[in-house]
Amino acid sequence: MKGHVFHGTGQSAWEEVPDPAVKNPTDAIVRVDAVTVCGTDLHILKGDVPEVRPGTVLGHEAVGEVVETGQDVRTVRPGDRVLVSCISACGRCPYCRKSMYGQCRGGGGWILGHLVDGTQAEYVRVPYADLSVHPLPGSLASADAVLLADIFPTSYEVGVLNGRVRPGDTVVVVGAGPIGLAAISTAKLFSPERIIAVDLAPARLEAARRLGADAVADARENPEGLVADLTDGLGADVVIEAVGVPESFEMCTRMVRPGGHVANVGVHGAPATLHLEDLWIKNITLTTGLVDTYSTPTLLRMATAGRLPTSQLITHTFPLDRMTEAYDVFARAAETGALKVVLHGPRSGAADTAGRR
C-alpha cells in the first residue's frame, strides 16, 4: 500500500510501505476512507516531537471500514464503518480505569503516527480496537466524522472542560486555527457571556465570528487591552491557549483574571516563561493535557444530531494520493485560508466532498 512516511525533520513522502497486519489479538485493520492533517503533524515535521522515528507513517485521525480483526476484538467486525480515535486505550491500566486514556501505560495513549504507524495511509492497524474505534451511523459523513477523532475532543476536554467554562463567563481563545475554532463552538454549549478570539490571520478571525465569537482581536493590536475594556479591567474567566508558542502562552497568563483558568491546548516545541512573580498571588489555575477522548461518544451523538459545526471547519478536500499537496496547503494556512483539509480514499462517498474546495 502507500502511506505518508516521516523521514526526519522537514522530510516526508507519500510512498510504498508494507501492508499492515494483525499483530495482537486486540488489533483491527481499517481501510482508510477519510483522513486529515493535524497541527501536531506539522510539529513532528518541524522536529518538535523527537520520539517519532524516521520511517513512521504519520497521522492519528481517520474514518474507514474494518477489514480484519484479531480474535479478541468484540465490539466491531469486518464491514463496520468506524471512527479511528487519535488515542488508543488498553482499558486495563490504572489510567484507563480512570478514563485517562491519553496516559495509558498498557501500550496505548497517543501512539498512532507517533510510536507506531499511523492513519495517513490506505490501511492502518489500530491497537486495542474495542476501545479505540467507534462505530459510525450512516447519516454522518466521513468528512465530518473525521474531525471527531482529535480536534473536537481535544478542544472540548483540554480546553473547555479543563478550563471550566461556565454560564456568564468571559472566554478568550488565543489561536483561531482548527483547535481554537472547535474550542469556540464547544464553549458556546455552556452559554458564556462572551467569547473573544485572538489570531494573526484575518480569515481565521472571520471564521471565529462565523462559529460564534462575539469579538475578535488581531494578536498584534493589543488584545489584552480589548479584554480589559470588555471586563472592566478584571480579565477573562477562562483563557484557552491554542497556538503552542511562548508568546501566546505568556499572553494568556496576562489576560486571565484573579481566580481564573488558563487551559493550555497548544503543542509547545520551546520553553515558555511562567511569570510566577506576578501569578502566585492571583489564585490562577493552569491546566495542560493530552486529550483522553472520553468525550468522543457524546460528541458523536451531538454531531449526528447536527449540533456541532464540523462541516464549517473543512475548507479543502483532496484524494488520498495528493497528501503532499494537502500538507503544503495546510502548512501555508495564512496564504491558502485552510482550516481543515480532508483527504478521501477511492471508495469514500461523493456526498462527503460536495460543496467543498
Side-chain angles (χ1 to χ4, degrees), residues 73-74 100 106 122 138 147 167 178 196 200 227 255 257-258 267 289 313:
V73 176
R74 296 289 181 266
M100 295 175 64
E122 294 175 318
L147 301 192
I196 304 165
L200 293 169
V227 172
M255 287 179 172
R257 70 175 61 189
V267 178
L313 272 68

Side-chain angles (χ1 to χ4, degrees), residues 117-357:
D117 285 337
T119 58
Q120 290 172 0
E122 294 175 318
Y123 293 85
V124 59
R125 179 181 71 92
V126 183
Y128 301 117
D130 279 337
L131 285 173
S132 306
V133 301
H134 302 268
L136 291 175
S139 60
L140 189 60
S142 296
D144 296 328
V146 76
L147 301 192
L148 304 178
D150 184 356
I151 69 163
F152 269 90
T154 294
S155 300
Y156 184 55
E157 295 174 19
V158 185
V160 175
L161 296 184
N162 279 3
R164 298 189 181 180
V165 175
R166 295 292 183 266
D169 279 356
T170 291
V171 178
V172 178
V173 179
V174 177
I179 289 288
L181 295 173
I184 290 168
S185 62
T186 52
K188 287 185 62 180
L189 300 172
F190 293 87
S191 300
E193 179 183 1
R194 64 175 66 87
I195 300 174
I196 304 165
V198 179
D199 202 280
L200 293 169
R204 291 194 165 190
L205 293 176
E206 180 56 34
R209 284 193 184 276
R210 292 198 304 270
L211 287 165
D214 302 287
V216 300
D218 188 309
R220 294 161 294 202
E221 297 180 0
N222 191 26
E224 297 165 50
L226 173 64
V227 172
D229 290 344
L230 291 175
T231 59
D232 295 325
L234 288 176
D237 299 279
V238 181
V239 186
I240 297 173
E241 200 284 340
V243 181
V245 298
E247 295 81 4
S248 61
F249 173 80
E250 292 168 31
M251 178 192 298
C252 289
T253 63
R254 294 193 298 268
M255 287 179 172
V256 68
R257 70 175 61 189
H261 289 73
V262 175
N264 183 88
V265 187
V267 178
H268 289 265
T273 301
L274 180 63
H275 288 282
L276 285 176
E277 73 278 12
D278 297 322
L279 297 174
W280 73 271
I281 201 171
K282 294 183 178 180
N283 293 24
I284 301 300
T285 299
L286 169 64
T287 57
T288 66
L290 175 66
V291 65
D292 293 310
T293 67
Y294 63 82
S295 68
T296 301
T298 298
L299 294 171
L300 275 170
R301 292 194 299 271
M302 294 177 65
T304 303
R307 300 299 178 90
L308 294 178
T310 49
S311 60
Q312 295 183 46
L313 272 68
I314 301 169
T315 55
H316 296 74
T317 59
F318 300 88
L320 200 57
D321 60 4
R322 287 168 61 188
M323 185 70 68
T324 301
E325 181 182 352
Y327 261 80
D328 177 64
V329 167
F330 186 62
R332 294 186 299 109
E335 303 167 43
T336 64
L339 294 175
K340 287 301 285 185
V341 302
V342 173
L343 299 100
H344 293 276
R347 294 182 58 183
S348 58
D352 288 348
T353 59
R356 300 189 180 116
R357 289 179 285 179

